[in-house]
Amino acid sequence: MSLLDDLYQTVILEHNRRPHNHGALEPHDVAQEGVNPSCGDELTLYLRLSDGTIDKAAFVGEGCAISRASASLMTDALAGLDLAAAAALAVTFKEMIRSGEVGEGLGDLAALQGVSKLHARVKCATLPWVTLQQALASLGGQAGSDS
Ligand code: ZN
């Protein structure tokens, strides 16, 4: 099964087995829950900010290998990004999952490129990113910067 070979690359298996940034983050600035009912994946994403930059991202949850690897890789990638860069990365990642084309700046996240060929797994890979977008939206509302 070459599709599965593509999909379950070493990096995905490693991140599933030993996810990075796994565990509740205290203190945090935002905690956002996400659910993918089609697979049963659930996660809570935590972000801690410092001067408008993501100081640390972490997650807890239960899910399949793809969702866990995506959350692990995402939380690695978010550290040190400002909120605009994090939002842009989410768009670039989701575009890769949609089109199969690896955009600029994705780094290790390109390991999930093969998911674009497996429609049943798309929501697993994008769940952490959709949750991130919700978290960023709630932070934007909190800041109330347009006063
Ligand atoms: Zn899943």
Side-chain angles (χ1 to χ4, degrees):
M1 289 282 290
S2 65
L3 272 181
L4 284 178
D5 287 346
D6 287 346
L7 186 56
Y8 291 105
Q9 292 176 37
T10 310
V11 60
I12 295 177
L13 289 173
E14 272 301 307
H15 278 269
N16 174 52
R17 195 156 52 211
R18 280 192 278 289
H20 299 183
N21 312 301
H22 189 257
L25 182 64
E26 300 292 348
H28 55 260
D29 292 279
V30 62
Q32 181 73 45
E33 290 179 23
V35 179
N36 167 24
S38 68
C39 177
D41 307 315
E42 298 179 5
L43 87 164
T44 302
L45 173 68
Y46 299 91
L47 299 177
R48 185 164 66 216
L49 308 181
S50 173
D51 290 336
T53 296
I54 297 175
D55 177 45
K56 183 161 174 65
F59 74 103
V60 296
E62 293 299 325
C64 65
I66 299 301
S67 69
R68 283 165 63 88
S70 185
S72 176
L73 286 159
M74 183 186 80
T75 48
D76 271 354
L78 290 178
L81 296 186
D82 66 28
L83 299 183
L89 188 63
V91 170
T92 305
F93 180 86
K94 289 171 76 177
E95 176 61 18
M96 175 184 77
I97 296 298
R98 193 187 65 77
S99 71
E101 294 188 14
V102 179
E104 267 184 58
L106 287 176
D108 287 349
L109 293 164
L112 289 159
Q113 184 257 357
V115 174
S116 66
K117 295 180 238 166
L118 295 182
H119 287 184
R121 290 300 186 197
V122 162
K123 285 183 177 170
C124 304
T126 57
L127 172 64
W129 298 88
V130 171
T131 308
L132 169 67
Q133 290 177 317
Q134 291 167 345
L136 294 174
S138 78
L139 284 168
Q142 222 174 60
S145 54
D146 55 356
S147 59

